């Protein structure tokens, strides 16, 4: 097997791949060194959730597909389940330097093929990627992948809830003339004159369906991160796609398989290679437009089902009325959030597609692009832009539809809020009527009590031994006998009990007020401590890296 020469800069970058992206040769990227350090730090933090390095059973699964490689094979593929097979497929070997055994060297056994497609996946969008960090960094270092691609990978990894779903962008980096010395590797089919693109797109899929109750169906927004390189001299092409699941891999297989169109898998000339490199872009863009119509239709149906009674339900005395609760308002607010998220994703996809069209439109006027390539592929670029614009128009129509649904949902939410207030008013009126009736009853009882109170007191008083009308010997009643001692004893007992009752009531009132003031004081102290802790723990945040390349970020 032939041995291909690799420049020392690339060898050193590969040997130091664990430090990616800090290991990239100077001049191979326009990302500042301080930003490379930040990317390295972010990758260190994301490693436990992003990769399977810490899984109890490491199971690597990375797919490789090559068309028209140097061995003359029309198609060569591999589903690598360990790092050794992946390195062997790429033709990378490391060993001691014959002249200095203490020093390691990197040897390439294979030239870069026409297109090389690398698919990194997880079980789903919120699962770790089925690759180790070391293997990914080796692949990225060997192919000199632009560091900003890490921004698009960070959305993946183990997570209970989707994170960073609102991130979207398009980045490009070009060396169309005067490439850095470390990038020129003719033996590998690398002239150093290339452009790199990375972007992400999102689609929506039906996760679970409930035929009995559509509101219980679940939809999932799935991201895909795409990296692309094209050498404008040799026509070698690289694709790296990161996604949860196999669907994009299967679509790419259909595009370049036996049933695919010949022009999408022809790499005999530079023009053929460029023409074929446009087809995967269209494939990914078309994937991002799927199912949005049905997702928005589902949202329309759910909103109609959950809010129709607010519009159609009859209100008024003597009518059967639908009673709303705060839960209904929360549900409608959740639907509005879902619609706004769909609009955000659709607009992000539109911006990415427009940036993609703008980039290829700009290639037609760049003087560094070989004239033969511009002349032979000008019509293909025009066709590519036209097809992409058709998909953009389709997405914009869905955005208009979703914006109208947001307005309807807000109006329905406001109507439900007013109905809740109306229900509260009706309950208050009913309560007031009940209280009014109870007040009349209490007033009647009070009047009756006042009428009988003097007679009750007199009857109670004369039932004591203070005044007696009965004869003790059993004779007829007398004119009454007054007992001064009984009167004195009655006053001795009644007056102290009355005073003790007032003292006990006053003491209970004071204790209740003291407990209430104590609770208020503790609550205020706790709030002050929480405010102080929040100020102490305030973190100014992490400075995010940026690239000084021409970019369109959503």
């Amino acid at each position: 097997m032939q041995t291909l020469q690799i420049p020392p800069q690339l060898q050193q970058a590969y040997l130091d791949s664990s430090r990616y992206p800090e290991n990239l040769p100077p001049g191979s990227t326009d990302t500042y060194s301080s930003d490379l350090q930040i990317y390295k730090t972010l990758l260190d933090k994301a490693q436990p959730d992003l990769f399977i390095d810490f899984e109890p059973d490491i199971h690597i699964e990375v797919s490789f597909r090559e068309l028209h490689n140097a061995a003359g094979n029309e198609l060569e593929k591999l589903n690598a389940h360990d790092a050794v097979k992946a390195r062997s497929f790429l033709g990378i070997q490391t060993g001691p330097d014959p002249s200095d055994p203490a020093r390691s060297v990197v040897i390439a056994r294979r030239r870069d093929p026409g297109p090389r497609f690398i698919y990194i996946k997880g079980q789903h969008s919120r699962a770790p990627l089925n690759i180790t960090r070391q293997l990914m960094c080796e692949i990225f270092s060997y192919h000199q992948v632009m560091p900003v691609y890490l921004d698009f990978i960070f959305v993946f990894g183990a997570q209970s809830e989707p994170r960073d779903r609102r991130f979207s962008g398009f980045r490009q980096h070009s060396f169309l003339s005067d490439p850095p010395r470390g990038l020129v590797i003719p033996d590998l089919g690398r002239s150093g004159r290339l452009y790199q693109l990375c972007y992400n797109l999102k689609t929506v899929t039906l996760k679970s369906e409930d035929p009995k109750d559509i509101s219980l169906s679940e939809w999932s927004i799935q991201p895909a991160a795409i990296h692309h390189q094209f050498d404008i001299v040799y026509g070698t092409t690289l694709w790296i796609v990161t996604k949860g699941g196999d669907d994009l891999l299967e679509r790419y297989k259909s595009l370049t398989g036996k049933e695919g169109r010949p022009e999408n898998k022809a790499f005999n000339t530079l023009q053929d290679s460029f023409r074929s490199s446009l087809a995967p872009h269209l494939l990914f863009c078309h994937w991002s437009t799927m199912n949005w119509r049905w997702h928005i239709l589902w949202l329309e149906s759910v909103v109609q089902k959950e809010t129709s009674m607010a519009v159609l339900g009859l209100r008024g005395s003597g009518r059967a009325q639908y009673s709303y609760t705060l839960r209904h308002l929360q549900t409608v607010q959740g639907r509005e959030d879902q619609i706004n998220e769909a609009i955000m994703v659709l607009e992000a996809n539109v911006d990415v597609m427009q940036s993609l069209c703008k980039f290829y439109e700009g290639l037609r006027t760049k003087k560094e692009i070989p004239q033969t390539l511009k002349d032979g592929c000008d019509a293909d670029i025009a066709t590519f832009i036209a097809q992409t614009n058709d998909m953009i128009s389709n997405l914009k129509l869905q955005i208009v539809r979703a914006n109208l649904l947001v307005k309807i949902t807000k109006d329905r939410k406001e109507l439900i809020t007013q109905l809740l207030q109306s229900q509260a008013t009706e309950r208050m009126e009913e309560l007031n009527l009940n209280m009014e009736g109870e007040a009349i009853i209490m007033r009647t009882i009070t009047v009756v009590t006042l009428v009988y109170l003097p007679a009750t007191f007199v009857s109670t008083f004369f039932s004591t031994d203070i005044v007696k009308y009965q004869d003790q010997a059993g004779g007829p009643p007398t004119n009454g006998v007054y007992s001064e001692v009984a009167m004195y004893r009655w006053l001795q007992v009644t007056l102290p009990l009355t005073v003790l009752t007032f003292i006990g009531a006053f003491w209970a009132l004071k204790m209740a007020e003291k407990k209430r003031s104590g609770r208020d004081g503790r609550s205020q102290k706790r709030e002050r401590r929480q405010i102080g802790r929040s100020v102490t723990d305030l973190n100014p945040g992490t400075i995010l890296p940026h690239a000084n390349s021409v970019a369109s970020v959503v």
Side-chain angles (χ1 to χ4, degrees):
M1 184 178 292
Q2 61 178 340
T3 301
L4 306 178
Q5 297 295 325
I6 298 180
Q9 296 92 331
L10 181 58
Q11 291 191 44
Q12 188 60 43
Y14 183 81
L15 293 174
D16 294 340
S17 56
S18 59
R19 296 177 49 247
Y20 178 86
E22 290 183 302
N23 64 322
L24 295 178
S28 63
T29 175
D30 58 358
T31 305
Y32 297 114
S33 58
S34 59
D35 288 343
L36 295 178
Q37 296 174 3
I38 293 175
Y39 275 122
K40 172 67 164 50
T41 302
L42 292 174
L43 192 58
D44 292 338
K45 293 180 178 179
Q47 181 176 353
D49 296 328
L50 187 58
F51 305 104
I52 60 171
D53 298 63
F54 300 99
E55 294 289 327
D57 183 18
I58 297 180
H59 180 68
I60 296 175
E61 187 174 1
V62 183
S63 298
F64 297 86
R65 289 180 69 85
E66 294 182 355
L67 299 177
H68 298 271
N69 58 19
N73 298 322
E74 183 177 349
L75 171 64
E76 193 166 354
K77 57 186 178 180
L78 172 70
N79 289 327
H81 295 287
D82 60 70
V84 176
K85 290 183 179 179
R87 298 187 190 103
S88 176
F89 185 83
L90 296 175
I92 307 172
Q93 290 184 357
T94 58
D97 189 347
S99 59
D100 185 3
R103 180 171 168 269
S104 297
V105 294
V106 181
I107 301 172
R109 298 293 187 182
R110 300 181 63 180
R111 180 185 174 92
D112 290 349
R116 172 174 286 160
F117 183 85
I118 303 175
Y119 194 79
I120 303 173
K121 69 173 184 178
Q123 185 176 359
H124 49 78
S125 299
R126 289 184 282 132
L129 299 176
N130 294 333
I131 190 173
T132 62
R133 174 181 175 176
Q134 179 61 33
L135 179 58
M136 188 198 76
C137 291
E138 288 180 11
I139 294 174
F140 287 8
S141 299
Y142 183 69
H143 294 95
Q144 301 292 282
V145 174
M146 55 195 302
V148 292
Y149 186 54
L150 292 175
D151 280 332
F152 301 90
I153 292 182
F154 286 147
V155 302
F156 298 95
Q159 49 197 288
S160 57
E161 293 294 333
R163 68 185 175 206
D164 209 10
R165 289 185 299 187
R166 296 178 178 84
F167 172 76
S168 188
F170 176 90
R171 304 289 181 88
Q172 68 89 13
H173 177 50
S174 302
F175 285 112
L176 301 180
S177 61
D178 299 327
R181 183 179 303 175
L183 295 181
V184 180
I185 315 174
D187 287 350
L188 291 181
R190 304 182 188 182
S191 68
R193 298 175 58 190
L194 77 162
Y195 59 79
Q196 297 190 44
L197 309 176
C198 62
Y199 57 89
N200 64 344
L201 293 167
K202 305 181 185 73
T203 192
V204 65
T205 57
L206 182 60
K207 187 177 180 181
S208 64
E209 184 177 11
D210 191 325
K212 296 181 180 180
D213 187 355
I214 61 172
S215 62
L216 298 180
S217 300
E218 294 184 26
W219 291 76
S220 174
I221 295 178
Q222 299 183 356
I226 296 102
H227 173 81
H228 172 57
Q229 292 182 14
F230 184 80
D231 191 295
I232 64 173
V233 175
Y234 294 106
T236 51
T237 308
L238 173 68
W239 293 97
I240 300 178
V241 177
T242 306
K243 189 188 177 298
D246 290 327
D247 50 336
L248 277 183
L249 175 61
E250 297 301 324
R251 289 173 180 269
Y252 184 81
K253 288 180 180 178
S254 299
L255 179 71
T256 57
K258 294 181 179 180
E259 298 179 356
R261 299 170 60 184
E263 58 269 27
N264 293 337
K265 49 184 180 179
F267 300 91
N268 298 321
T269 64
L270 178 62
Q271 292 82 354
D272 289 340
S273 297
F274 181 83
R275 191 178 297 112
S276 299
S277 72
L278 299 176
H281 287 306
L282 291 175
L283 173 71
F284 302 142
C285 291
H286 181 265
W287 167 83
S288 70
T289 64
M290 296 185 61
N291 297 326
W292 286 109
R293 172 191 172 187
W294 310 113
H295 179 55
I296 295 175
L297 176 61
W298 173 78
L299 288 171
E300 291 173 341
S301 302
V302 170
V303 170
Q304 177 65 20
K305 175 185 176 182
E306 295 174 345
T307 63
S308 59
M309 290 302 296
V311 179
L312 304 176
L314 299 177
R315 310 292 297 182
S317 177
R319 298 180 182 273
Q321 302 179 10
Y322 187 82
S323 180
Y324 282 94
T325 63
L326 183 61
R327 178 61 182 170
H328 292 93
L329 193 61
Q330 292 175 323
T331 300
V332 177
Q333 179 62 53
R335 300 303 182 195
E336 184 180 347
D337 293 343
Q338 287 180 314
I339 302 168
N340 283 324
E341 183 180 31
I343 293 174
M344 181 274 300
V345 173
L346 287 168
E347 290 178 342
N349 285 347
V350 167
D351 288 342
V352 169
M353 292 183 193
Q354 289 176 338
S355 299
L356 194 60
C357 291
K358 184 178 179 181
F359 173 79
Y360 278 100
E361 180 67 30
L363 289 182
R364 304 165 75 178
T365 59
K366 288 187 178 295
K367 61 180 181 179
E368 297 88 354
I369 301 295
Q371 191 62 40
T372 55
L373 183 60
K374 290 193 287 187
D375 294 339
C377 298
D378 186 76
D380 299 290
I381 294 178
T383 302
F384 168 79
I385 293 175
Q387 292 178 345
T388 306
N389 284 331
D390 286 342
M391 290 184 276
I392 291 174
S393 299
N394 180 31
L395 291 183
K396 286 184 176 180
L397 290 176
Q398 302 303 326
I399 292 173
V400 172
R401 182 180 175 185
N403 280 324
L404 176 60
L405 182 57
V406 165
K407 185 178 183 302
I408 293 174
T409 306
K410 286 182 177 179
D411 293 342
R412 300 282 178 89
K413 185 177 66 176
E414 180 63 26
L415 182 57
I416 292 176
T417 302
Q418 294 176 1
L419 289 175
L420 285 171
Q421 295 173 350
S422 175
Q423 290 176 182
T425 303
E426 291 174 358
R427 285 194 293 268
M428 287 298 297
E429 291 177 354
E430 183 179 354
L431 181 61
N432 289 335
L433 291 174
N434 294 335
M435 292 179 64
E436 184 178 351
E438 292 175 358
I440 294 174
I441 295 174
M442 292 301 297
R443 191 181 299 115
T444 302
I445 294 174
T446 302
V447 171
V448 173
T449 302
L450 290 175
V451 170
Y452 286 99
L453 182 61
T456 302
F457 174 75
V458 171
S459 299
T460 304
F461 184 78
F462 280 100
S463 67
T464 64
D465 291 336
I466 298 174
V467 179
K468 283 191 175 183
Y469 293 94
Q470 291 83 8
D471 188 0
Q472 298 295 328
T478 64
N479 292 332
V481 178
Y482 169 74
S483 175
E484 184 177 353
V485 174
M487 182 65 182
Y488 182 68
R489 295 288 186 269
W490 183 80
L491 291 174
Q492 280 183 323
V493 174
T494 302
L495 292 179
L497 286 176
T498 303
V499 172
L500 288 175
T501 301
F502 279 109
I503 291 175
F506 180 78
W507 178 82
L509 178 63
K510 289 297 183 180
M511 290 298 295
E513 292 180 351
K514 184 177 180 180
K515 288 183 179 180
R516 183 169 60 253
S517 61
R519 287 195 300 267
D520 294 342
R522 288 193 297 271
S523 177
Q524 292 176 359
K525 290 181 180 179
R526 186 164 52 252
E527 291 179 357
R528 286 195 293 268
R529 285 197 300 268
Q530 290 176 351
I531 293 174
R533 190 180 301 113
S534 301
V535 172
T536 303
D537 296 341
L538 186 62
N539 191 340
T542 303
I543 301 177
L544 297 178
H546 63 279
N548 61 337
S549 58
V550 178
S552 172
V553 181
V554 180

